[in-house]
Amino acid sequence: MSINTFGRAFRVTTWGESHGPALGATVDGCPPGVQLDETMLQRWLDLRKPGQNKFTTQRREADAVEILSGVFEGQTTGTPIQLMIRNTDQRSKDYGDIAEKFRPGHADISYWQKYGIRDYRGGGRSSARETAARVAAGGVARAALDMLMPDLRIAGYMLRMGAHEIARERFDAEAIAQNPFWCPDAVMADKWAEYLDGLRKSGSSVGAVIEVVAQGLPAGLGAPVYGKLDTDLAAAMMSINAVKGVEIGEGMASATLTGEENADEIFMGNDGKPAYSSNHAGGILGGISTGQDVVVRFAVKPTSSILQPRRTITRSGQPTEIVTKGRHDPCVGIRAVPVGEAMMACVLLDHLLLHRSQVGDGPRGVIG
């Protein structure tokens, strides 16, 4: 299996399987001198780890990250950083019944068609467990960004669960940490709790939409044509397990706007920098950041492993039914929020390092 690495200047290679002894990431290209220890990374992993409430999988993993290389006396050395997370609560026997069957909506069948072999224990590399390694690597990226761009803030939250969407007029950033759904709308969070509890008890699942916003990003990151910031953000989010759609800024809704409505008018702000009347572009024009908030949304499909019987086939092509046992998220979008934040951090650091390598730190194209 090739292509387990993403990034150009800041490169992350993830490894390991859902039911193997461990998984992790090798991070290359992190600048030296970044303050980093396991406690700093654990902060982010604790936000993603399973079994924290009844609305996520009841698999109990500490997700304790170990730094094996690349850090000396609490600082990065500039050499590869090896991160490892041991698996401690696998129940491979739960998957014995699907060894010869393919789960509808899952990567089982496509992995088998491509490789002629698959790890059916939890899905192997196609399991959402792989994202723990991304969150650990994202913690490294956040530490470097804190040093290089201390004003940058990255925040993710859920906008929609199934057919139930938040009311933007009730958006409250303080509410995000006060419910298990990363929901900025306290009223909708209560509705989601009732709705998802019913789905969970019935053995079904549902999809979600997550938004990730980066505030305080300077203008100038990204490059035209093949090195666009939005191209890499879209690829990063689409690479997350179960993601089926990505939008930047207004996204698909921009097709419903007129040119007058879509154009983000430009003014000079009181701080002497360009200001905009709106942000339909999602903070990126021509693949380059404008200094506005960078806004990315992605859609996560329903968890494919459900207790409801579904028709499928065996490896020999015989028709059969399948019911997936084990412990699964009724809405995998909940734990996808910190994964989206991590991928945003990795991409932004990658582009910051690429930007500095071409034009340095000095200002270019000063307006006014």
Side-chain angles (χ1 to χ4, degrees):
M1 182 182 294
S2 58
I3 316 177
N4 292 285
T5 302
F6 65 91
R8 289 183 281 262
F10 180 78
R11 295 173 62 80
V12 176
T13 302
T14 67
W15 53 268
E17 291 81 37
S18 175
H19 283 231
L23 51 84
T26 304
V27 178
D28 200 8
C30 181
V34 176
Q35 295 291 323
L36 188 70
D37 59 32
E38 291 165 350
T39 301
M40 296 169 66
L41 300 183
Q42 197 63 49
R43 168 190 176 189
W44 306 112
L45 281 158
D46 286 348
L47 296 175
R48 179 218 159 271
K49 71 180 182 181
Q52 298 192 72
N53 57 68
K54 67 180 181 180
F55 299 111
T56 62
T57 172
Q58 294 307 292
R59 179 170 174 170
R60 299 288 180 176
E61 293 284 358
D63 277 358
V65 63
E66 301 173 43
I67 300 176
L68 304 184
S69 67
V71 176
F72 179 67
E73 295 183 341
Q75 294 187 50
T76 59
T77 61
T79 59
I81 300 169
Q82 183 75 353
L83 307 172
M84 183 171 70
I85 303 163
R86 299 181 190 274
N87 291 324
T88 60
D89 189 27
Q90 310 98 309
R91 289 186 189 173
S92 300
K93 61 180 177 60
D94 288 343
Y95 297 88
D97 291 343
I98 70 167
E100 297 295 322
K101 300 177 182 180
F102 300 115
R103 288 170 289 181
H106 204 281
D108 294 345
I109 192 166
S110 56
Y111 269 47
W112 178 257
Q113 289 171 313
K114 181 175 179 66
Y115 300 109
I117 186 172
R118 68 182 176 97
D119 184 348
Y120 59 83
R121 305 166 304 165
R125 284 290 282 170
S126 65
S127 169
R129 180 107 187 96
E130 182 269 346
T131 61
R134 300 172 185 238
V135 173
V140 176
R142 286 178 187 254
L145 288 169
D146 283 344
M147 183 180 79
L148 300 172
M149 287 195 296
D151 293 333
L152 178 67
R153 297 291 180 268
I154 298 172
Y157 38 86
M158 281 182 60
L159 295 179
R160 174 188 288 270
M161 181 186 292
H164 308 283
E165 188 172 7
I166 71 162
R168 286 282 188 176
E169 62 270 20
R170 292 198 298 260
F171 190 101
D172 178 8
E174 298 296 322
I176 296 172
Q178 297 174 6
N179 62 79
F181 308 113
W182 306 80
C183 181
D185 177 350
V187 174
M188 187 53 66
D190 290 339
K191 293 182 180 179
W192 285 354
E194 182 179 359
Y195 172 63
L196 191 58
D197 199 36
L199 279 176
R200 178 183 65 86
K201 291 176 180 177
S202 73
S204 189
S205 63
V206 71
V209 175
I210 290 95
E211 185 168 271
V212 184
V213 178
Q215 297 178 309
L217 191 71
L221 298 195
V225 191
Y226 302 116
K228 292 181 177 181
L229 178 58
D230 42 357
T231 296
D232 287 346
L233 282 171
M237 301 305 172
M238 185 62 81
S239 75
I240 299 171
N241 312 64
V243 171
K244 298 302 288 185
V246 181
E247 295 184 326
I248 309 292
E250 201 67 42
M252 299 298 287
S254 63
T256 68
L257 303 178
T258 64
E260 297 92 331
E261 292 169 325
N262 186 66
D264 301 318
E265 294 182 291
I266 309 172
F267 310 91
M268 286 304 295
N270 295 329
D271 59 359
K273 298 179 181 179
Y276 298 81
S277 62
S278 51
N279 191 17
H280 297 298
I284 304 172
L285 290 170
I288 300 171
S289 63
T290 64
Q292 290 181 279
D293 292 353
V294 171
V295 182
V296 182
R297 282 181 301 282
F298 59 92
V300 179
K301 68 180 182 179
T303 310
S304 301
S305 297
I306 56 176
L307 293 174
Q308 298 295 328
R310 297 282 87 189
R311 290 179 296 174
T312 187
I313 59 173
T314 65
R315 288 198 300 178
S316 61
Q318 297 302 308
T320 186
E321 277 195 347
I322 188 169
V323 171
T324 308
K325 300 176 183 178
R327 299 159 295 173
H328 306 286
D329 292 275
C331 179
V332 75
I334 297 172
R335 293 197 297 128
V337 175
V339 182
E341 291 182 348
M343 296 306 288
M344 172 78 87
C346 288
V347 172
L348 294 184
L349 177 58
D350 189 36
H351 274 268
L352 175 62
L353 296 177
L354 290 169
H355 175 79
R356 294 174 71 192
S357 70
Q358 183 179 26
V359 303
D361 290 325
R364 298 291 189 274
V366 178
I367 297 172

